[in-house]
Amino acid sequence: MEPTVATYNTSDFRKGLKVQIDGEPYLITEMNFVKPGKGNAMYKCKMKNLIRGTTLDRTYKGGDSLEAADVETTTVQFLYRQGQDYVFMDGTTFEQYEVPNEVAGDIWKYLKDGTECSMTLYNGAAIIVEPPQHVQLEVTECGPGTKGDTATNVTKPAMVETGAEFNVPGFIKEGNIIKINTLNNEYVERVNN
């Protein structure tokens, strides 16, 4: 006997709900309730495909329903790279997940041993891995600042321990620990001197 799949009726639709359409998980990013003068109420939904990142606009009538997506989010720790894959471990269950490069994307820029990340699983497989909003990384390589240049907006590229490069202020030097905002890929502050 197949397990019963939870469903959401239109009255349950809301922003943030994870549903399944044609066997793929979607996140409702917008939901507008429209009640025309005559006829049924309409639910206009904008949804994001959690695997491909594409968006979809759909309209549902009152009484329609959608399957719930078997999606869960958990906190994992980065362990190591294995070829093109990234290996993470759930600190509670000690289960390990091998995440292919296509899913991980640019996350390598922020990963050092033990970095805690948020992982979204769909049917037990990782579909999204997100780094923390801020990470602290050591500068391993950067050119000298320009002498006599006191302008506050002068930047230079600096390489960090993960091999990624970020634009940093001219006063940053090798050995400094810097804080990076992973949402916009930008330098926030120097953590030590």
Side-chain angles (χ1 to χ4, degrees):
M1 189 170 111
E2 247 183 67
T4 57
V5 177
T7 57
Y8 295 114
N9 291 317
T10 46
S11 58
D12 300 320
F13 287 9
R14 67 184 184 287
K15 185 177 173 177
L17 197 66
K18 294 176 180 94
V19 296
Q20 185 167 291
I21 300 171
D22 300 328
E24 292 195 335
Y26 284 83
L27 173 72
I28 296 179
T29 55
E30 269 181 54
M31 203 289 294
N32 295 305
F33 176 74
V34 181
K35 178 79 173 114
K38 288 183 173 179
N40 281 344
M42 306 292 271
Y43 297 81
K44 293 183 181 241
C45 301
K46 187 180 283 278
M47 295 177 262
K48 180 181 177 186
N49 184 306
L50 290 174
I51 295 174
R52 291 195 302 270
T54 54
T55 55
L56 183 67
D57 289 314
R58 289 267 173 101
T59 303
Y60 297 94
K61 297 187 303 282
D64 284 351
S65 64
L66 285 174
E67 282 185 16
D70 182 14
V71 174
E72 69 174 288
T73 302
T74 186
T75 301
V76 293
Q77 251 186 348
F78 173 65
L79 296 179
Y80 55 89
R81 270 188 92 162
Q82 184 171 308
Q84 291 294 309
D85 294 346
Y86 298 82
V87 180
F88 294 89
M89 181 177 73
D90 185 315
T92 311
T93 64
F94 301 107
E95 190 167 343
Q96 290 189 8
Y97 300 94
E98 281 188 28
V99 180
N101 203 25
E102 304 79 63
V103 172
D106 282 349
I107 198 171
W108 65 269
K109 294 178 180 181
Y110 317 109
L111 292 181
K112 57 184 188 177
D113 289 356
T115 301
E116 283 203 343
C117 299
S118 173
M119 180 180 284
T120 303
L121 302 165
Y122 175 62
N123 292 335
I127 57 169
I128 301 170
V129 182
E130 295 169 310
Q133 185 175 345
H134 294 101
V135 291
Q136 294 182 10
L137 300 167
E138 184 178 345
V139 175
T140 55
E141 220 178 277
C142 69
T146 311
K147 259 202 179 345
D149 204 338
T150 56
T152 55
N153 60 353
V154 173
T155 62
K156 62 182 180 181
M159 187 171 287
V160 295
E161 60 188 294
T162 61
E165 211 172 75
F166 299 99
N167 281 324
V168 298
F171 61 81
I172 296 294
K173 44 190 196 283
E174 284 181 30
N176 284 156
I177 305 288
I178 58 173
K179 185 186 241 184
I180 298 293
N181 181 333
T182 62
L183 298 177
N184 60 14
N185 209 29
E186 289 180 4
Y187 167 88
V188 177
E189 65 185 355
R190 178 172 58 183
V191 179
N192 73 347
N193 290 334

